Amino acid sequence: MNTTPHDLAAAFTDRFGSEPDGLWSAPGRVNVIGEHTDYNDGFVLPFAIKHSTTVAVAVRPDRIVRVASTFSTDDTPVTADLDSLQEGSVEGWAAYPLGVLWAMEQSGYRCPGMDILVDSSVPVGAGLSSSAALECAVAVAANDLSEAGVSRRELATIGQFAENRMVGAPTGIMDQSASLFGEAGHAVFLDCRSGESRLVPLDLEGAGLELMVIDTRVSHSHSTGGYAARRRSCELGAELMGVPALRDLSVKDLAEAAGVLDEETFRRVRHVVTENARVEDAVDVLSRKGPADLGSLLVASHASMRDDFEISCPELDTAVDAALDAGALGARMTGGGFGGAAIALARVGDVPAIRSAVEAAFSAAGFRAPVVFGVLPGAGAARVA
């Protein structure tokens, strides 16, 4: 995070005039593989990263919630009455924390009023799920402070419900699950239909590898048209193929799908079906061989998102191509698409050359300089003070 726990607690006291009852933190995530499979009841393989969002929270004696942040230029907290919150009634970034409290109450858990100060080191708009980090930090704080005893699995669902209904972003459950269930040295293999997850070894350090994040600085938003249009295409494809979700189709079914679906819908479906298969293959590779053998799956995933799902952009393609040309074992865009970040799997010794090659390629293309940094699997959401 940008601020130490001590400094965040002091900032809370300066802002609200009292000490916080505690601090809770939740990480962003990087998705190794499995893009746009989550809302199709499919499989994903994310891991929690060390970049996190931390909230300082104090319970109030009433039903008022005041939310402020260290990154806002406006010192005035966003204020809401829990008894008056309604679906879609909050705009801007405050919709995420307030949406979580609203969603908890919609699920039958009564929350106290509270003051919340938010601090974050998760880059916004980079495809690292800064939104889920914020949702999960507030969710674990509210769960502890209300003594509701909500399971982590249900907290993930509450976070997704808040993002879908209060924010209006039709996202799946992957981001919240990664933020809540992550552990150091592991990825989270999540079945998005059942909600069941298990940890898969991802010892990058032990293998002499680093996963590089290349933030293109092209911002994206899940609540705008491109993401929603892809989801509608997937729902249409499942309906025309007579299955509950694209999870229920296999690669063998694609020949039939080509004869049933229009060309665009077929390509959307083909991405999801083959991406699900790639996730299962990645879990197998990690279990039997290790992370160094993931490269070809990452490359195939990017090609599928670029050509079939059409969610890449020139900056993402440049990042992937430059990284591969400079010696990366594999690379692909990650996140919802239309901007955000790419990831590159690299030997530690090759990282400086790959970073330089990517920066040079962006400069030659006239793009803004990317932000490049390494990530390792970290711990999930927890109380930190």
Side-chain angles (χ1 to χ4, degrees), residues 186-260:
H186 292 80
V188 179
F189 177 42
L190 174 66
D191 181 334
C192 296
R193 169 168 284 168
S194 68
E196 295 178 356
S197 64
R198 65 180 173 91
L199 295 171
V200 177
L202 184 62
D203 185 8
L204 296 173
E205 284 184 296
L209 302 174
E210 180 174 306
L211 196 70
M212 303 172 66
V213 175
I214 305 164
D215 180 2
T216 66
R217 301 171 71 192
V218 177
S219 190
H220 69 169
S221 173
H222 282 171
S223 58
T224 53
Y227 190 102
R230 297 308 183 277
R231 184 161 186 165
R232 287 193 298 269
S233 287
C234 293
E235 292 166 351
L236 175 62
E239 179 184 349
L240 293 175
M241 289 299 294
V243 294
L246 295 185
R247 151 73 173 273
D248 300 296
L249 298 179
S250 71
V251 173
K252 294 184 295 184
D253 296 314
L254 290 176
E256 178 188 351
V260 173

Side-chain angles (χ1 to χ4, degrees), residues 53 117 128 140 312:
T53 294
L117 181 62
L128 303 181
V140 293
S312 191

Side-chain angles (χ1 to χ4, degrees), residues 290-334:
D293 288 277
L294 287 174
S296 62
L297 292 169
L298 302 183
V299 172
S301 175
H302 183 76
S304 182
M305 289 184 285
R306 180 191 64 213
D307 301 334
D308 278 354
F309 224 58
E310 296 182 287
I311 54 173
S312 191
C313 66
E315 291 85 352
L316 286 168
D317 293 339
T318 296
V320 168
D321 292 343
L324 292 172
D325 289 344
L329 301 176
R332 72 178 194 92
M333 60 150 286
T334 187

Side-chain angles (χ1 to χ4, degrees), residues 56-109:
V57 186
V59 171
R60 295 173 54 90
D62 51 26
R63 294 275 288 166
I64 299 299
V65 178
R66 295 188 295 174
V67 185
S69 77
T70 61
F71 48 80
S72 175
T73 56
D74 185 356
D75 288 339
T76 305
V78 176
T79 302
D81 188 330
L82 285 173
D83 293 322
S84 302
L85 280 178
Q86 297 180 7
E87 180 177 334
S89 62
V90 185
E91 296 182 352
W93 71 269
Y96 294 97
L98 291 171
V100 167
L101 301 179
W102 169 80
M104 286 190 72
E105 298 229 327
Q106 293 296 304
S107 300
Y109 304 105

